[in-house]
Amino acid sequence: MDALRLMTQAPLRTVRPMMLRNVYANPDKELARLCNQGYLVQLARGTYLVKPDTVPTTQAWAPPLEVAAMAYATAAYHPDTPVLYGISAARHWHAIPRAIGVAIVAVPRPHRPVVLHTGGRVEFTVRSVSLLDSQPVDTVVGLMRVTTPEQTLVDLVAWPQLGGMPEQAIQAATQIIPQVDAGQLEQLLERQPATVTRRVHAVLKEP
């Protein structure tokens, strides 16, 4: 199981066959075998996540949608590139209390939507991810990046249609306000178009 231990060191414990060509003669076959044995979870075609060490191989397990989405995106892009965004970042910050069926991930290049085998759909939005205010957060499978509450508020107001839940996005924008640092938000708004700044200030004035 030396190869399996190597996989646990991959970002978010997520691998694709091409990453293991120097380990296995037939990585697709070996990954499918390890999945059938309960060591891995298949996120989508050709993308597998190693279960947390605390989860027995005999136990059915799936990561939360937001974690699964970031794991998939991390394997598809450079590990430090994807950022959990919009309504999905709002979910992380508990501004949307209930589970939703779509996850939004910011990436630098276009990617088609992906339906995950573990449930839910991932939608990708093209952004200059290095310019987003984000921070690392710990998950059951490692660190991922999430937009800060201030950036999340701006994104919810500027792009409420992402994920097809515009009303929930605006509601989440109001719910996240108590977590927002006013000084950091104003610094962030200095880099935004005037129309976005006006919308954010309008949301802040709501009771």
Side-chain angles (χ1 to χ4, degrees), residues 33-114:
R33 180 180 63 82
L34 290 170
C35 187
N36 290 333
Q37 291 178 347
Y39 292 100
L40 312 180
V41 172
Q42 187 174 24
L43 298 178
R45 181 178 180 182
T47 305
Y48 296 83
L49 182 150
V50 184
K51 285 181 178 179
D53 296 338
T54 55
V55 178
T57 57
T58 55
Q59 178 179 326
W61 177 86
L65 172 57
E66 291 78 17
V67 174
M70 285 296 292
Y72 179 91
T74 294
Y77 294 83
H78 188 275
D80 294 329
T81 298
V83 179
L84 196 66
Y85 189 88
I87 55 174
S88 295
R91 272 276 300 155
H92 171 78
W93 297 118
H94 308 292
I96 297 179
R98 66 179 181 85
I100 55 179
V102 62
I104 308 298
V105 180
V107 291
R109 300 180 304 279
H111 195 295
R112 61 177 178 78
V114 173

Side-chain angles (χ1 to χ4, degrees), residues 106-194:
V107 291
R109 300 180 304 279
H111 195 295
R112 61 177 178 78
V114 173
V115 176
L116 297 175
H117 291 188
T118 50
R121 184 178 79 257
V122 187
E123 293 186 5
F124 300 87
T125 183
V126 177
R127 295 288 183 269
S128 296
V129 290
S130 62
L131 300 181
L132 295 174
D133 285 358
S134 65
Q135 63 187 69
V137 299
D138 202 9
T139 76
V140 293
V141 292
L143 293 175
M144 67 180 188
R145 297 202 70 83
V146 181
T147 54
T148 63
E150 296 78 21
Q151 180 76 62
T152 303
L153 170 59
V154 170
D155 298 332
L156 290 169
V157 173
W159 308 96
Q161 72 278 13
L162 284 176
M165 302 170 59
E167 292 183 2
Q168 291 91 332
I170 296 303
Q171 290 174 4
T174 63
Q175 292 299 313
I176 205 171
I177 289 173
Q179 301 181 61
V180 169
D181 180 275
Q184 292 182 24
L185 177 61
E186 286 306 316
Q187 291 180 12
L188 179 58
L189 289 176
E190 291 175 359
R191 310 198 303 264
Q192 307 302 316

Side-chain angles (χ1 to χ4, degrees), residues 6-22:
L6 181 64
M7 287 183 237
T8 66
Q9 299 172 18
L12 293 181
R13 299 168 73 101
T14 304
V15 295
R16 287 180 157 184
M18 66 179 63
M19 301 175 183
L20 302 170
R21 287 176 178 167
N22 294 330

